[in-house]
Amino acid sequence: MAVALICEFNPFHNGHQYIIETAKKNTGEPVVAVMSGSFVQRGEPALTDKFERTRAALENGASLVTELPAVYAVANAQRFAGGGARIANALRGVNYLAFGCECDDISLLKKAAAAPSDLRVQSLIKKKMQQGDYYPRALESAVREVFGDETADFLKTPNNILAAEYIKQLDKRIKPLPIKRRGAAHNSKAVSGGFASASAIRSLLRGGKPADGLLPRVPSEITFPERLDAALLYRMRTISAQELRTLPEVGEGLENRLLAAAKTAASAEELISAVKTKRYTHARIRRILTCALLGITEELQSKKSSYCRVLGFNDEGAELLKDCDFDIVTSAAKGIGGKNAEFIKKDILATDVAALAYEKVRPSGEDFCAQIIKC
């Protein structure tokens, strides 16, 4: 039996180590990490490669690390959670899903998970979005009107929104295991007792400042998202409106705003700033740009993959792989010849594109030559 953890580890820091340790202490079971690979949900390349993050996780308590397909790793909260939950469901030894959140009240968590499906809430969300609001705020406001302040306040933070999505998409045999975050809050720049948010650590490392003591393994090489700007702008200046409309989260004329901004923007941030509104958030636009760059369409992202790409494991993790409903993929070369080829090809492409974001550009093909991490 095991505990699953859907994560990014961007980078793997002391807070992640605390969640793994707490999950193991509370259940006495090994931890399986379902981890984003080369790109993360904010639409940027991961700070460091998936194999280095895998090693950090295995050295600090995880027993198995599998890859969340790139197609879902750059998706909205519902699809990100769904992609991870399906892998957790497929690993038959998993009977808990642990996650860090700001509130560990399980009854409130379940209430919040059910709230977005309420017909009254859905009607209000539709009305508010027609008035120009964006989904996260429309959701919070609608839930507040129907269920009150406590439930709505729970859905104000990204981690809690994901937690609610996890609960909706888990098999009944898997129990949610909320773990209250320690130290700095999500996206906080504060450092408290050896804990800092992943965004604060990324800022330190990309700014050339030390982050010693905040993470068990300091990355050897890191990415800089702006190094992909030329590729992103080229893609946006050559893509058609028709092709843009095939991407996830593009609709209602957003493709025209994107194309117009791309004509004059000198960076990805300039493009995003020109398009961003209350409804079209920074994260949403950044994900659209990444999907354009990687060729991830709405059609592909709405499909369900059925493979478990293994990045690393120890002896306990190896045992968990013996009982899985999905195809176990240990070789990218073999994976692209199977029924999940269209997904695995995007994982490989994502790694090749992220390789351009390092200070010293890496060669392509890392997915074919990197070995599974064994601890």
Side-chain angles (χ1 to χ4, degrees):
M1 308 308 281
V3 183
L5 180 65
I6 302 169
C7 54
E8 293 184 323
F9 293 159
N10 187 36
F12 186 93
H13 56 65
N14 293 348
H16 298 134
Q17 185 179 24
Y18 168 76
I19 290 173
I20 290 175
E21 290 175 348
T22 303
K24 292 173 71 173
K25 179 181 178 181
N26 289 350
T27 65
E29 298 178 3
V31 169
V32 177
V34 181
M35 185 185 77
S36 298
S38 299
F39 276 80
V40 295
Q41 199 195 9
R42 58 191 292 112
E44 293 181 351
L47 183 75
T48 190
D49 72 70
K50 56 193 175 187
F51 300 102
E52 184 160 357
R53 283 149 51 223
T54 293
R55 184 174 295 280
L58 292 174
E59 289 177 347
N60 291 278
S63 293
L64 172 64
V65 181
T66 70
E67 182 171 3
L68 175 66
V71 168
Y72 309 129
V74 295
N76 61 28
Q78 183 179 25
R79 287 178 174 172
F80 177 95
R86 283 195 298 275
I87 294 174
N89 292 339
L91 290 162
R92 304 303 297 177
V94 170
N95 62 354
Y96 289 98
L97 180 77
F99 45 84
C101 56
E102 276 66 33
C103 173
D104 58 359
D105 183 335
I106 194 66
S107 61
L108 178 58
L109 181 58
K110 290 181 177 180
K111 185 178 179 181
S117 300
D118 185 274
L119 293 178
R120 295 166 296 173
V121 171
Q122 290 181 354
S123 176
L124 283 170
I125 289 173
K126 183 177 181 179
K127 181 179 178 181
K128 291 175 186 295
M129 291 188 70
Q130 288 173 342
Q131 295 170 348
D133 216 341
Y134 64 102
Y135 181 77
R137 194 164 69 177
L139 169 63
E140 179 200 333
S141 178
V143 171
R144 192 176 302 279
E145 288 186 37
V146 176
F147 288 94
D149 291 343
E150 186 180 40
T151 306
D153 287 343
F154 181 90
L155 292 171
K156 287 175 69 173
T157 64
N159 284 325
N160 286 355
I161 291 172
L162 277 173
E165 289 293 343
Y166 294 149
I167 286 178
K168 287 194 294 184
Q169 302 191 56
L170 288 174
D171 280 353
K172 290 184 178 180
R173 79 167 198 279
I174 300 179
K175 300 175 183 177
L177 182 65
I179 298 174
K180 194 168 184 178
R181 290 165 57 96
R182 284 185 60 186
H186 178 77
N187 277 343
S188 169
K189 296 190 181 301
V191 176
S192 174
F195 291 91
S197 68
S199 59
I201 295 171
R202 290 194 299 271
S203 181
L204 287 172
L205 293 174
R206 284 173 172 154
K209 298 177 182 177
D212 302 62
L214 299 176
L215 63 174
R217 171 186 280 267
V218 177
S220 57
E221 294 181 87
I222 62 173
T223 62
F224 296 86
E226 62 273 16
R227 290 182 176 273
L228 296 182
D229 280 8
L232 282 166
L233 290 175
Y234 170 79
R235 179 65 173 140
M236 295 305 296
R237 290 186 182 188
T238 56
I239 196 171
S240 68
Q242 181 179 2
E243 192 175 357
L244 267 175
R245 285 193 289 270
T246 69
L247 303 181
E249 302 188 82
V250 177
E252 302 171 335
L254 178 57
E255 67 275 14
N256 298 318
R257 292 174 59 87
L258 288 164
L259 290 173
K263 291 178 180 178
T264 57
S267 68
E269 283 302 316
E270 277 190 27
L271 193 159
I272 293 168
S273 295
V275 176
K276 183 170 68 72
T277 64
K278 287 191 301 182
R279 185 167 190 173
Y280 304 127
T281 63
H282 186 286
R284 176 177 173 177
I285 299 166
R286 186 87 206 190
R287 287 196 297 270
I288 291 170
L289 296 183
T290 298
C291 285
L293 188 61
L294 299 178
I296 296 173
T297 63
E298 166 66 20
E299 181 184 8
L300 178 57
Q301 200 177 78
S302 64
K303 292 181 180 179
K304 295 181 179 180
S305 63
S306 58
Y307 69 104
C308 182
R309 169 77 187 278
V310 180
L311 298 177
F313 60 87
N314 61 19
D315 290 344
E316 285 183 312
E319 288 298 314
L320 293 168
L321 287 170
K322 293 178 179 179
D323 191 8
C324 182
D325 294 337
F326 281 1
D327 292 341
I328 301 297
V329 175
T330 56
S331 165
K334 293 180 180 178
I336 57 176
K339 63 182 180 182
N340 289 286
E342 59 184 341
F343 290 98
I344 295 172
K345 286 177 180 177
K346 293 304 180 187
D347 296 339
I348 294 166
L349 176 61
T351 301
D352 288 347
V353 172
L356 301 172
Y358 290 89
E359 189 167 12
K360 182 181 178 181
V361 173
R362 294 182 172 187
S364 63
E366 186 176 13
D367 269 292
F368 294 104
C369 58
Q371 294 185 342
I372 291 175
I373 307 299
K374 297 179 182 178
C375 291

